[in-house]
């Protein structure tokens, strides 16, 4: 029996008549088993598994396959890698526990610390470092920065315990910004549990600082996680809470809340609100003049609001409108911003598919695949999965097979 026949037979025994049904069923099973809403197996991946070169699934995926079908991957025609040892469920739980400990270690240092003098100049030092981390994130992606930034947050937290008065409040403010960045890095890496944890840390530190701008910023950060989870109503709730006392907020925070609320509106199919919110944010842009070291994407990102509008239009299925905006945005985004360009181009490709331009979508995807392998951005990988769904009408055509080959590079490189 050939490899693809073994898995195909197991699929049919499970009652999964088509590859699409199998991918959907294994995704749902994995999300429940692992308690991870981000777990997903695409139809493209399952189709490869039933082909001549099925490769080998990730360890968590192997566990899900075994739990769903009652057989380990090596019994289903997969190519067993050297050193593979079948994991047991308690071992998998230990892996997840260790991963969570790694996420939280920098934020939850127990016990008292030795008192020390804390010079106020350290506030400026950490602020300068923060700006460098923002720039590095654009070039490197999340994986190379998580350890560095979370370690610096740990140092800030230690200093806060000894600092007094204005120095302490200043360190709390910069600490909230560091926690927000760590949360973003986990989110970009696809670890939504880690992202949610650090967004919670951000909100706690912001509340302790008593800084209304940071409190609003922390709510927007929470809304970003909810956007990635597809919970539009929660996004709107959080952004409305941030804007409850808008007159107290600097324009930058109001812009952030409005644009994120627009994302929530796009998730609930409310185009009118999308345009209204982004138009309001656009009128505030010329008023951004604060010297706060965090949340400066509206100043740092070329075509910031056009990026948000194009993304929202893409979610709303407005392929032509979104495609025109992405073409405009990509003329001003620098080549050095590899991760951002890759995400934007993946969304541009999806817009092209929605506009019934599959050849253009595949041509764009060739470049995106290379960037996705380089940066290991989970956000980009998710955008390519969205593109794959948009290209399903052409999956059996030559252009669809070309896309499958391109996306195979991303799967092998991840």
């Amino acid at each position: 029996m050939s490899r693809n026949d073994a898995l195909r037979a197991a699929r049919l025994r499970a009652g999964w008549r088509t590859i699409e049904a199998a991918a959907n069923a294994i995704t749902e099973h994995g999300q429940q088993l692992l308690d991870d809403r981000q777990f997903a197996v695409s139809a493209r991946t399952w189709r490869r598994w039933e082909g001549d070169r099925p490769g080998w699934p990730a360890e968590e995926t192997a566990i899900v396959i075994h739990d769903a079908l009652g057989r380990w991957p090596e019994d289903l025609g997969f190519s067993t890698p050297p050193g593979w040892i079948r994991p047991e469920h308690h071992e998998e739980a230990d892996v997840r526990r260790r991963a969570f400990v790694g996420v939280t270690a920098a934020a939850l240092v127990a016990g008292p610390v030795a008192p020390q003098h804390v010079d106020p100049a350290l506030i400026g030092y950490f602020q300068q470092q923060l700006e460098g981390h923002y720039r590095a994130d654009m070039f490197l992606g999340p994986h190379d920065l998580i350890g560095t930034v979370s370690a610096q947050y740990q140092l800030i937290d230690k200093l806060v315990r000894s600092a007094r008065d204005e120095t302490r409040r200043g360190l709390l403010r910069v600490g909230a910004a560091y926690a927000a960045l760590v949360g973003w890095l986990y989110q970009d890496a696809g670890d939504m549990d880690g992202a949610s944890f650090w967004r919670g840390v951000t909100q706690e530190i912001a509340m302790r600082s008593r800084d209304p701008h940071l409190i609003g910023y922390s709510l927007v950060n929470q809304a970003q996680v909810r956007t990635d989870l597809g919970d539009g109503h929660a996004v709107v709730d959080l952004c409305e809470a941030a804007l409850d006392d808008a007159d107290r907020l600097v324009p930058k925070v109001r812009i952030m809340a409005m644009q994120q609320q627009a994302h929530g509106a796009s998730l609930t199919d409310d185009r009118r609100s999308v345009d209204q919110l982004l138009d309001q944010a656009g009128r505030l842009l010329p008023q951004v003049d604060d010297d706060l070291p965090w949340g400066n994407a509206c100043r740092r990102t070329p075509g910031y609001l056009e990026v948000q509008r194009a993304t929202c239009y893409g979610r709303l299925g407005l392929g032509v409108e979104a495609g025109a905006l992405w073409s405009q945005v990509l003329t001003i985004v620098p080549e050095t911003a590899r991760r951002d360009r890759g995400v934007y181009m993946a969304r541009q490709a999806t817009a092209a598919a929605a506009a019934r331009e599959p050849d253009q979508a595949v041509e764009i995807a060739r470049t995106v695949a290379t960037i996705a392998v380089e940066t290991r951005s989970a956000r980009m990988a998710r955008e390519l999965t969205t593109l794959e769904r948009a290209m399903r009408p052409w999956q059996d055509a030559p252009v669809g097979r070309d896309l499958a080959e391109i996306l195979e590079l991303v799967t092998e490189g991840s």
Side-chain angles (χ1 to χ4, degrees), residues 2 243 333 342 374:
S2 65
L243 292 167
V333 176
E374 288 176 2

Side-chain angles (χ1 to χ4, degrees), residues 97-110:
R97 181 185 58 79
R98 287 196 298 271
F100 185 73
V101 169
V103 168
T104 62
L108 299 178
V109 178

Side-chain angles (χ1 to χ4, degrees), residues 181-221:
L181 178 54
V182 178
W184 159 247
L185 293 172
Y186 274 104
Q187 188 172 345
D188 192 34
D191 185 343
M192 300 307 290
D193 288 340
S196 295
F197 172 83
W198 279 94
R199 299 307 199 190
V201 172
T202 303
Q203 191 162 10
E204 177 204 323
I205 303 301
M207 294 294 289
R208 288 168 59 190
S209 76
R210 305 293 204 279
D211 185 318
H213 312 302
L214 269 174
I215 293 169
Y217 178 52
S218 71
L219 288 168
V220 174
N221 273 260

Side-chain angles (χ1 to χ4, degrees), residues 380-398:
M380 208 178 307
R382 286 199 300 272
E383 295 294 344
L384 288 172
T385 299
T386 301
L387 169 62
E388 182 185 24
R389 289 198 295 269
M391 287 287 291
R392 280 178 181 168
W394 300 278
Q395 65 183 14
D396 296 323

